Amino acid sequence: MSALAAHLYALIRNEGPITVARYMAEALGHPQLGYYATRDPFGRGGDFITAPEISQMFGELIGLWCAEMWRRLGRPRPIRLVEFGPGRGTLMADALRAIGQAMPELRTALAVHLIETSPALRARQTGSLRQVEAQWHDRWDEVPEGPVLAIANEFVDALPVHQLVRQGGQWRERLVGLAADGATLRFELSADAPAATAFLPAPLAAAAGALPDGSVVEVRPAALEMARALGTRIAAEDGAALIVDYGHAPSAPGDTLQAVRGHRFVDVLADPGEADLTAHVDFQAFAEAARASGAAAWGPVAQGRFLRALGIETRAATLLKGARPEQAKAIEQAMRRLIEPPEMGSLFKVLALSRAASPPPPGFESAP
Ligand code: SAH
């Protein structure tokens, strides 16, 4: 049994069954034993691959998006370029390179802030960003005040979710407890109505009576807190944010909790701390929390549509000019993977925040 599994068993023996949100928080984020604290999970030899690891074009285009937003903000100095959960630091490195080429004034005006709790990944980011003066933080509220451009790619999906289950006309919470053998984890339901119903999105709370028994709804207080914090900062001090992730546009019921290990789906309870655990992002809930804090929210639009609008095909054509045949094939494959449905092109979506009453950001011109 892994040290993290032993820790969870002891926790449940002492405190009783824990929420799915607590299970996720411990499995992913335990400061010494958690999944992210103990490894670099990306790439072919790891558990999963993310867009910036597929192609440099992803981070470059996001860098250009930031440059255009900075221009529209009236070029404030300094400006904080903040990334939530930077992984290997690849997106930030690619974005900074593109910014340096397209808008060198922004490159000198910006201060890089990375929000990362994993020591292993902080070390990795230090390596990728050797030429860059960056500051690391555990939490968003440590980022100094002032205008911000914030980016989060595949960050929100890792924030803990509560799973609320409809049963006999009531809400119950899905819990992780110990099976009778004392050596396996299993799901159970809370006896009482859970406190997490306070986070139900309004449309789902209103429709609860019509949901059949067994329906699962996921709520993510940490994402709502992030949306409110970003919305408040943008409303008060100006800026913009880009949230990229997989998930649904309107809030909808569904059990989307998943575990991935070695590029395969595995049992969510089988190996805590050894597999990545995520759940889909509720973009509507995120957007509404940001709007309620005074910012404008745009989209989400499909990642494929966003990257096309930003000119990924033109960027690929430029890269193809200098490429050898095998490189050319890799560039084309990477672009298709980033923009074509059903995978990254449509399951992945992009949400933007900007100040209220501003025009649509690049890529969101015809978005709701
Ligand atoms: N954005 C990167 C990595 C995505 S994986 C990419 O696209 O490749 C999630 C990242 O978020 C990891 O760097 C992980 O260590 C970090 N992370 C997860 N939960 C976090 C939290 N609560 N606070 C800060 N960082 C977190």
Side-chain angles (χ1 to χ4, degrees):
M1 190 191 298
S2 71
L4 184 80
H7 159 74
L8 276 171
Y9 281 58
L11 182 73
I12 295 170
R13 261 195 300 273
N14 291 333
E15 296 184 19
I18 57 175
T19 63
V20 167
R22 178 89 189 270
Y23 178 73
M24 264 182 101
E26 295 284 341
L28 294 180
H30 186 285
Q32 289 85 39
L33 310 173
Y35 176 76
Y36 281 115
T38 49
R39 75 204 66 218
D40 168 359
F42 308 102
R44 205 163 287 165
D47 292 320
F48 60 96
I49 186 157
T50 57
E53 303 301 329
I54 290 175
S55 166
Q56 67 185 75
M57 294 186 283
F58 187 78
E60 289 171 347
L61 292 169
I62 289 182
L64 297 181
W65 188 90
C66 290
E68 173 58 14
M69 293 310 283
W70 184 64
R71 194 187 63 75
R72 292 186 189 188
L73 290 172
R75 305 173 182 245
R77 289 170 170 265
I79 176 104
R80 312 215 171 268
L81 180 58
V82 183
E83 187 176 359
F84 289 82
R88 285 180 165 176
T90 309
L91 190 164
M92 184 56 82
D94 293 337
L96 289 172
R97 195 179 57 251
I99 289 170
Q101 283 164 10
M103 209 178 270
E105 328 78 271
L106 170 58
R107 185 66 194 85
T108 55
L110 64 80
V112 175
H113 295 271
L114 304 171
I115 300 174
E116 176 61 69
T117 40
S118 156
L121 288 173
R122 278 190 183 199
R124 187 71 212 225
Q125 291 151 21
T126 309
S128 314
L129 297 167
R130 265 189 306 276
Q131 325 290 353
V132 177
E133 240 179 81
Q135 275 177 267
W136 276 264
H137 311 277
D138 283 333
R139 302 170 47 87
W140 154 264
D141 45 22
E142 296 168 8
V143 176
E145 57 189 24
V148 286
L149 295 166
I151 307 159
N153 185 59
E154 287 206 48
F155 174 79
V156 181
D157 66 68
L159 297 176
V161 290
H162 292 267
Q163 290 194 315
L164 304 177
V165 184
R166 222 39 213 168
Q167 207 189 41
Q170 309 285 328
W171 286 114
R172 296 288 177 248
E173 180 149 13
R174 205 172 193 195
L175 302 174
V176 177
L178 277 176
D181 64 4
T184 351
L185 297 173
R186 64 153 195 215
F187 285 122
E188 37 192 279
L189 284 187
S190 71
D192 303 323
T197 53
F199 299 99
L200 275 171
L204 290 179
L211 291 175
D213 259 16
S215 301
V216 176
V217 170
E218 293 167 343
V219 297
R220 189 174 248 141
L224 303 178
E225 196 185 306
M226 173 180 168
R228 279 193 289 266
L230 283 172
T232 306
R233 168 70 73 102
I234 289 170
E237 312 210 47
D238 230 345
L242 209 49
I243 313 297
V244 189
D245 224 309
Y246 41 91
H248 33 278
S251 299
D255 172 5
T256 71
L257 184 65
Q258 64 185 40
V260 168
R261 188 176 185 181
H263 302 268
R264 289 210 166 76
F265 291 111
V266 295
D267 186 330
V268 167
L269 299 182
D271 275 312
E274 300 298 316
D276 188 34
L277 277 180
T278 64
H280 284 200
V281 173
D282 180 343
F283 281 102
Q284 184 182 359
F286 195 100
E288 272 162 22
R291 282 188 192 116
S293 306
W298 304 91
V301 300
Q303 175 175 298
R305 185 175 136 187
F306 175 75
L307 293 176
R308 278 205 176 93
L310 261 52
I312 192 169
E313 282 141 328
T314 313
R315 178 69 187 128
T318 308
L319 290 175
L320 283 171
K321 272 188 206 138
R324 291 192 303 275
E326 69 278 11
Q327 286 175 321
K329 204 171 149 213
I331 293 166
E332 272 167 353
Q333 269 174 355
M335 180 176 79
R336 276 204 299 278
R337 207 164 155 199
L338 290 179
I339 65 177
E340 277 181 7
E343 213 193 315
M344 289 203 155
S346 61
L347 174 62
F348 276 74
K349 298 180 176 67
V350 189
L351 179 84
L353 307 182
S354 65
R355 65 179 162 197
S358 55
F364 296 86
E365 283 80 4
S366 50

